[in-house]
Amino acid sequence: MRPIIGEKIREFFSEGVPEAFERDLSLGSIQPPARGNLVNVVVGVRRCGKTYRLYQEMRRIVSAGYPEASLLYFNFEDERLKPYDASLLSEVVETFYALNPRAREEGAFFFFDEVQEVPDWGLFLRRMVDTAKATIYVTGSSSKMLSLDIASEFRGRALPRELFPLSFAEYVRFHGGDVPPREALAAGALTAGERALLRSACSDYLVRGGFVPVQDRGLSECALLLQEYANRTVSYDVVERYGLANLSAASSFLAQCMASSARELSVNKVHGRFRSLGSSVSRETLSRLLGYYEESYLLFSVREFSRALADNPRSPAKVYAVDPGMLMAFSPSAARDEGQRLETAVYLTLRRQADLVRRGSVSRALLDRGSTRREVDFVVGDALMQDAFRLVQSSTSLADPATRKRELAALEAAMSAYGVEESWVVTLDEQETVQTDQGVVRIVPAWSWLLDGGER
């Protein structure tokens, strides 16, 4: 056995389970250790809080009466474990049993962090599910853990979930504020002071974002740290994992993608820009990089509602950063991208609510009426069946008559096309209910909508 394995396990036993900020992501009921238990899989971008979500679950398990000695936490993101090989997981488990022999018979809770680093992790955990008296939690930074790996290795033996940086509600709680009950938000039963505090918190959230380690930093240091997180993710999860040689091109393209959050991104146009600067990177390489960034949860592509299930890299899509703070960190005009940051936060709220339903559940609508094209930022529904049930626009303000007319006309067109009777416009400050020929349009301030996503 590798000595470092025993050292890491003994270190966890001696230090105990750290305190953790309570995240809203539920991992369901605690499963007593047993053969055949479903594996809890939590995926998300690096540094979004997956490790601390495991700590939160460990404390819940101990509070439920299970002994702390029945828990094993092991983080595989450790250069001392390299080179990773398929025997590593087995060594970790056997070392734990050697240090705690009773756990083999009485049962144990295993928490494996960044397990995707280990070859054949799925095959090993499937054997554990079939043979060990255990409850297993794993985390990773690759969306492939939700699809290909889970489908082939576990075949119904896993419960996958996504974790993102702090939502706005979590952000408010993290900074010591109170999140109003949904009923109070719906009834507008807040004082002027409460609304002002939430409006201020929302402005800060749209700049700083939800990565916990940056919350106590100045904005310049915050931006530098977020850039470091993103570039480290590219280095580990893109360049190293896929053996790419051009780190400079990968980092430069990522910066453009992040700065383009809430805008269309044309790989062809970016390729032309690279060529004009003397770069030899191919269009195909840029397309692959975009896929790798999505796989690593750095950003997401949102395609048209009618084409949301098609994999056509030549079709322009809007891209959204995993956090509004990431857009701020990479934007060359951070003071002028408030609308992009707001739209990014709206998308992420809808993405959290989508809860891993079929790909394409959050799309965009482009509706042609004669020579006029109407755009709706977000359509939530089944793109394959063309069944929409939520329509959401994002606009910093509707004070300008032309902007108001454009946004409402787009929603009316989509409500008519998809048979939806209620839709939303998320703004920074405005609140109004507009009755149209097609149904109701609710204009709501971001600080209110981001707290409950319009689910009233």
Side-chain angles (χ1 to χ4, degrees), residues 164-339:
F164 294 88
L166 299 177
S167 67
F168 179 52
E170 290 172 326
Y171 179 91
V172 171
R173 288 196 294 107
F174 184 87
H175 288 280
D178 295 321
V179 177
R182 181 170 294 175
E183 297 75 15
L185 286 171
L190 301 182
T191 67
E194 288 171 330
R195 289 195 296 271
L197 286 173
L198 289 171
R199 172 66 178 87
S200 176
C202 186
S203 295
D204 293 340
Y205 176 70
L206 294 180
V207 173
R208 187 178 301 277
F211 282 89
V212 168
V214 308
Q215 296 305 313
D216 60 350
R217 311 277 180 172
L219 290 183
S220 295
E221 191 174 354
C222 172
L224 290 173
L225 195 54
L226 290 174
Q227 290 174 11
E228 173 63 22
Y229 289 169
N231 287 320
R232 185 180 180 189
T233 298
V234 169
S235 178
Y236 277 102
D237 296 335
V238 177
V239 174
E240 184 175 314
R241 181 176 295 168
Y242 292 101
L244 301 182
N246 197 337
L247 176 58
S248 176
S251 298
S252 178
F253 183 44
L254 174 69
Q256 292 192 44
C257 290
M258 289 297 189
S260 299
S261 184
R263 292 179 176 172
E264 282 190 353
L265 179 74
S266 169
V267 172
N268 285 333
K269 289 182 179 179
V270 175
H271 177 238
R273 196 175 305 128
F274 269 71
R275 289 187 62 186
S276 69
L277 295 173
S279 173
S280 60
V281 64
S282 68
R283 196 196 68 82
E284 289 71 22
T285 295
L286 294 178
S287 293
R288 287 198 300 271
L289 283 171
L290 183 59
Y292 297 152
Y293 300 155
E294 291 194 67
E295 182 184 308
S296 302
Y297 279 89
L298 286 170
L299 56 83
F300 309 95
S301 294
V302 174
R303 299 191 181 277
E304 291 182 44
F305 188 59
S306 59
R307 297 200 300 249
L309 300 185
D311 279 323
N312 180 6
R314 295 181 183 274
S315 176
K318 272 190 172 181
V319 294
Y320 292 91
V322 70
D323 182 70
M326 280 289 188
L327 166 57
M328 182 278 296
F330 283 92
S331 173
S333 56
R336 300 194 301 272
D337 61 14
E338 192 172 42

